[in-house]
Amino acid sequence: DILISDAVQAAAAGCVRCFALGQAKVVGKDEPVGLFEPYAALPPADASSPLGQLQARAASLSRGLDPGLHALAEGFGRAVDLYAAGDFAGAAAGAEALAAAHGPSAKLDKLRARIQAAAQTAGPHWDGVYVADGK
């Protein structure tokens, strides 16, 4: 998986579409960082520059993606938001609905595992930040 920070995602907002993965504690940072996983390139505003030509090529490769992928990414983002807000039942229902509509996936399995673990361990000070056990 390729993960990018919220700062990189903001800088590349016109270039790529991403799955929103929520906030996470990362090594070397004091504050949580928003994490995103790019899944499709968007056409560039200016295809005449070398960067624009590279973006145009990436966008042409993205055209063959399943059209339901964008809907999956939007639903995934809503489930992550519910998870971050501590609505674990809502997040789990959202993940199950996505699995029913789009089929099983490792990405949804990871999200369901995160939701289940948080639902069992979250206390009154839940902040919605994912803390990984390792890399």
Side-chain angles (χ1 to χ4, degrees), residues 25-51:
K25 292 287 267 178
V26 296
V27 176
K29 298 286 184 182
D30 293 331
E31 297 296 320
V33 174
L35 293 179
F36 295 84
E37 181 181 354
Y39 71 87
L42 298 173
D46 175 16
S48 63
S49 71
L51 177 59

Side-chain angles (χ1 to χ4, degrees), residues 46-107:
D46 175 16
S48 63
S49 71
L51 177 59
Q53 292 171 8
L54 180 63
Q55 288 173 314
R57 176 70 178 129
S60 72
L61 295 173
S62 294
R63 280 191 213 117
L65 292 174
D66 176 359
L69 190 57
H70 185 61
L72 174 63
E74 288 181 342
F76 192 92
R78 286 190 297 275
V80 168
D81 288 344
L82 291 169
Y83 160 85
D87 181 357
F88 305 120
E96 293 305 322
L98 288 170
H102 298 279
S105 76
K107 183 173 298 315

